[in-house]
Every structure is written in structure tokens, then in C-alpha cells.
Amino acid sequence: MALWGGRFATGPDESVAKLSRSVHFDWRLAPYDIRVNIAHVAGLKRAGYLSEGDAAKITAALKELSVEVLTGDFTYNDSDEDVHSAIERGLIEKLGELGGAFRAGRSRNDLVVTDFKLYLIDHLLQISLEVAQLAQVIDDAAKAQIDLLAPGFTHLQHAQPILFSHELAKHSHALLRDLDRLKDWQSRNSISPIGAGALAGSALVPNPEITAAELGFGGVARNSIDVVSDRDFVAEALFDLAMIAVHLSRIGEEFTIWNTQEFGWVTLDDAFSTGSSIMPQKKNPDIAELARGKAGRLIGNLTAMMTTLKGLAFAYNRDLQEDKEPVFDSIEQLLVLIPAVRGMIATATFNRDRISSQIETGHSLATEVADFLVRSGTPFATAHEISGRAVALAQSLDCDVHELSDEQLATVHPSLTGELRASLSAKAAVESRTSISGTSTKSVTTQLAQLDEKIRTFTAYIDGEQKRFSGMMSA
């Protein structure tokens, strides 16, 4: 059923109807559309535009439709343009002409933004829970490797020794930033558009604040023109989702590298690997590779949305129909990807001997030479130069800097005394990094405990919001 047409002599051309039709993808909004309409009917009753009896009939019919949508007994058909027209058709089928009364005082413009915000609130909470669970799995893996030394890398070159748990836990810290952004999104975007109408507000629902509270929003938009055209909340959500995908991609890249024969740091469980159609020996890290690949898709969704928004004037424009599919796709991709990445990490076996086998190679202890000199009173610039000469000597002798004898070190500079030897081990180097963000056992143990606490806090918040939102949806 079309929601417009009285002033038109004919219906739209078939090509226009196909171009305009969105119900095949915006049907995902049906439960939220019904919930918003129930709250709007209550507002019309309070304003005196629906009798108590008529409001009760419409509300009961909408609740019936809600059940039928969930069970699949009611869905869209070929005549429906969008989710809103499909729901109105269903209501008219149940109530006749009365079924069209609930549209008073609102527009598809404010309705669709409200539906979409509720959809995002619901689904970003689901994504948040998945991210929190992934952060916990990584944190648990890090705790299990707290005693394992590993070479640290910059530029994919050996840099300094670290705890392998420190390497793993960096991903949990990144994911916690994602959770922070998602929580911030929930706070900033808990503003209801209902009451904005097409662009000028509503003459029939003068107090949308009550409706907003019934839907779980924290307030009502203050400019009706802005709120019907605002898709900042969409672009922001797409950025948050793309950033999660980028973090998953970095995890995927590392696990792909670690899984190579050249590294051999990790063995992936058979359940989270695939084989080759031609090479029987192959065991491929497809989950890790797909984590890399999906990131490009989510970045593309963000780029598409920003491009759509960049030149829109005044209030609502039909371009904004393009806001939903990128969001639906990004959310659905992450809801499939995150559990797979979580399972890959939870079941992985870290090959400890291989990880620690080359911890002191690549002159990774050269910084310890410089730090020793600084502790002896040498300015760091000079200490850096001296330690560089020690590396050059080691290279000329085809050994690592820590393998130089006391006599050889003394030829580089007289300040490089035998006392340096106590610092020239991976264990000593690691345990000397006692700063709050450092890689010493004490520092990392504290960091992991703090991660645990932050994850528990986020999980409790998500659980509370999901219960609150679920209560709103079932009201």
C-alpha cells in the first residue's frame, strides 16, 4: 500500500517503483517500526486524537503483527514499497479504515530515523557483547603465556624482547577502545526524532518527550529539520564497526604470519582451519585471512555512506534511503566474523619453544647497552652512538651484540665494563621495563588484571542495557 498518491493522476512507472522499493532490505526494521508505532499511538491518545477504545484496538493489532512478524506469519509482499507501508497494510487488513489512523502526527521521515536508531541501539549492543567476549578470550590467552619471552617487532624487524602475553594483550586494549566508542555512541545518539514530522514538527503530538521516554531514549531532538536529515549516527556507527574490523584484520594478519612454517609460532585448531582442493597437505588460516578481507568491505561501507551524505541540502532527501544497507551489511558481517576469530584464538596452540628460540637475535639487546651507559651518566645521544658501534662490531664478527666478550665491548668504549653483562639477557631486559605500560612481568600482570576488570565492567553495562532495551521492546 502506497503511503502517498492522492495528488497524482497515475501511479509510478514500473522502473520508478523498482528503484524506490526498499522493503526487501528495510524489513529488518519491522519489529522496531511496530514498537515506535505503539508508542506513537499512545501519544495520539494522550493528545486526544484517538479515543481510548480506538487506541486500544490499534495497539492490540500492532502487538499481534509483532508476533506474526517474528514467526514469519506476516511479511511484506510485492505491493509494499517499504517496511512502513507493509506494516500499515497489515494493520488495515486487521482493522479496516481505523488501521490508517495511527499515521497522524508523524511522517516516514521521523519514523524511519527512529526505527533505525532503535535497530542500531539493539545491534550495537550485540556487537559490543561479541567484542567484550573476544577481548576476554585474548586476555585469558595472554594470562596463560605470562612467563613466555618473545622477540618484539617494529617494521617486522626484531626490536626488543617482550613478554608474549604483552604482545597478545595489545589486541584486548584496542578492542576496549572499540567498546568505549560503542558506549559513547549509545550515549550521544539516545535522542528521539519522533515529533519532528516531515521536517517542521508535529501539530498533533505536542509532547514527544513522553513517547521518547517510552522508547528508551534519553531525550528529544531540538531541531526538527536537522533530525530528519541527520545521519551522523549512521556514519559514526559505520566508523566504529570499520574500526573493529581493522582491529580484527590486524589480529588476522599476525595469526597468518605466526601460522607460517617460517614463523611457526601458532598451530590453529582443525575446526578453525580449512584445506586445499588440490594439495592434500594444506592447512590454511582462512579465518585469519577472512578477518583481513572483511575489513576492506566495512571500510567501503563507511566510505559509501560519507560520500552519500557529503552534498545533501535542507532536510530529507531520498538519497538517505542508501543509509541502511551499508549498516545492515557491516553488522551482519561482524556478527559472523567475531565468533569465528574468538574460536580461532581460544583453540590455538602457541608453540612456546619456537616463539622464544630467537629472542636475543637481531641485536635486540642493543638498547640495553645504551640504557646501561645512560645509567652510568652518559647522555643518551652519545650512548646511542656507542651502542651502534657495538652493533657494527658484532656484525663484523658475525654474532649478536650480546655475544661480544667483555674485552670486545671495552674496545668499543671504556664505559662498557663487565657490569654490563648482567643487563645483556632477554630476561633482564624484559624485567627492567617496569613502567605502567611496560613489558615486565609485574607490569603485564597488573595490566591483565585491569583488563579483566574493564571487561567485566563493560559486560555488566551491556547486559543492563540489553535487559532495559528488551523491556522497552516488549512493553
Side-chain angles (χ1 to χ4, degrees):
M1 174 184 175
L3 301 185
W4 52 273
R7 60 92 67 214
F8 289 84
T10 66
D13 182 82
E14 182 181 353
S15 64
V16 175
K18 286 182 178 179
L19 179 63
S20 298
R21 197 165 189 256
S22 61
V23 69
H24 54 290
F25 60 81
D26 68 19
W27 184 247
R28 293 169 178 81
L29 301 180
Y32 308 96
D33 194 79
I34 291 171
R35 178 70 191 101
V36 174
N37 280 317
I38 289 172
H40 179 65
V41 166
L44 289 174
K45 183 182 73 172
R46 283 191 298 270
Y49 296 107
L50 280 176
S51 68
E52 188 166 336
D54 284 348
K57 290 177 184 177
I58 296 173
T59 299
L62 284 168
K63 289 183 176 180
E64 287 178 13
L65 271 179
S66 180
V67 174
E68 292 167 5
V69 166
L70 291 175
T71 61
D73 292 330
F74 179 79
T75 188
Y76 61 89
N77 63 29
D78 292 341
S79 69
D80 296 321
E81 180 184 6
D82 55 26
V83 62
H84 318 297
S85 59
I87 296 301
E88 183 163 332
R89 172 180 58 80
L91 201 58
I92 290 173
E93 288 173 0
K94 289 179 179 295
L95 299 176
E97 186 179 12
L98 179 61
F102 76 140
R103 204 200 308 169
R106 65 157 176 77
S107 161
R108 277 192 299 186
N109 292 2
D110 59 349
L111 176 62
V112 69
V113 184
T114 309
D115 292 355
F116 202 14
K117 279 196 171 185
L118 292 178
Y119 169 91
L120 272 166
I121 289 169
D122 188 13
H123 286 78
L124 291 185
L125 286 170
Q126 292 181 39
I127 294 289
S128 296
L129 184 59
E130 294 287 348
V131 171
Q133 291 172 349
L134 175 58
Q136 187 65 65
V137 163
I138 296 171
D139 195 36
D140 291 342
K143 284 183 287 186
Q145 307 299 334
I146 191 65
D147 61 335
L148 178 59
L149 300 179
F153 290 83
T154 64
H155 307 278
L156 274 178
Q157 305 292 313
H158 281 219
Q160 292 176 269
I162 58 169
L163 291 183
F164 187 60
S165 57
H166 201 46
E167 188 79 75
L168 287 172
K170 73 177 188 287
H171 295 300
S172 287
H173 286 277
L175 293 170
L176 284 178
R177 292 195 297 275
D178 292 324
L179 289 174
D180 245 343
R181 276 186 284 270
L182 290 170
K183 184 178 180 182
D184 194 42
W185 184 98
Q186 299 278 354
S187 174
R188 178 165 39 259
N189 293 293
S190 185
I191 301 296
S192 173
I194 279 293
L199 82 160
S202 173
L204 302 181
V205 184
N207 297 304
E209 297 87 347
I210 300 173
T211 304
E214 289 174 346
L215 292 170
F217 288 109
V220 178
R222 290 298 189 265
N223 186 295
S224 57
I225 300 173
D226 172 60
V227 76
V228 297
S229 59
D230 166 39
R231 294 301 185 274
D232 292 9
F233 72 96
V234 177
E236 185 180 347
L238 285 169
F239 172 80
D240 292 347
L241 298 171
M243 197 72 245
I244 293 169
V246 167
H247 290 148
L248 296 177
S249 178
R250 295 186 66 183
I251 293 171
E253 172 71 357
E254 288 188 357
F255 271 75
T256 299
I257 292 172
W258 293 348
N259 186 66
T260 61
Q261 289 185 351
E262 287 73 18
F263 260 74
W265 282 21
V266 68
T267 300
L268 300 180
D269 190 86
D270 285 358
F272 292 91
S273 305
T274 65
S276 165
S277 62
I278 191 172
M279 295 171 285
Q281 83 281 8
K282 291 297 294 297
K283 182 178 177 181
N284 300 324
D286 280 19
I287 303 305
E289 293 172 353
L290 285 168
R292 288 187 317 202
K294 295 290 186 184
R297 183 167 175 169
L298 272 72
I299 292 167
N301 286 338
L302 170 61
T303 303
M305 188 72 255
M306 295 295 284
T307 306
T308 298
L309 295 177
K310 71 174 182 62
L312 300 185
F314 303 115
Y316 181 81
N317 293 273
R318 193 60 182 272
D319 311 50
L320 294 176
Q321 182 172 300
E322 294 298 309
D323 63 350
K324 297 170 194 65
E325 288 177 286
V327 167
F328 295 152
D329 181 63
S330 291
I331 285 174
E332 288 164 8
Q333 294 304 314
L334 286 182
L335 287 175
V336 172
L337 178 61
I338 297 174
V341 172
R342 187 169 67 240
M344 177 188 73
I345 296 171
T347 59
T349 300
F350 295 104
N351 304 322
R352 293 168 58 88
D353 290 343
R354 189 66 178 266
I355 290 172
S356 61
S357 64
Q358 293 186 315
I359 189 171
E360 294 175 345
T361 61
H363 308 289
S364 64
L365 296 176
T367 305
E368 307 314 305
V369 177
D371 285 354
F372 172 81
L373 291 168
V374 169
R375 284 193 289 268
S376 302
T378 304
F380 183 78
T382 303
H384 189 283
E385 176 70 20
I386 294 169
S387 62
R389 295 205 301 268
V391 170
L393 174 61
Q395 287 177 327
S396 72
L397 297 172
D398 196 25
C399 66
D400 272 293
V401 69
H402 69 283
E403 295 173 321
L404 293 172
S405 67
D406 290 352
E407 292 76 15
Q408 289 168 330
L409 286 167
T411 66
V412 174
H413 196 276
S415 297
L416 298 180
T417 65
E419 295 177 2
L420 169 61
R421 188 62 52 191
S423 301
L424 284 183
S425 73
K427 182 68 173 175
V430 165
E431 296 304 340
S432 70
R433 266 65 187 179
T434 57
S435 62
I436 192 170
S437 62
T439 193
S440 70
T441 303
K442 179 180 178 182
S443 295
V444 173
T445 300
T446 300
Q447 293 158 17
L448 295 177
Q450 291 170 340
L451 276 173
D452 271 341
E453 179 59 31
K454 288 180 179 179
I455 293 168
R456 282 194 296 271
T457 300
F458 271 118
T459 302
Y461 159 76
I462 295 163
D463 181 62
E465 284 297 287
Q466 285 183 319
K467 287 177 179 175
R468 183 180 73 83
F469 187 72
S470 176
M472 294 290 180
M473 284 295 290
S474 61

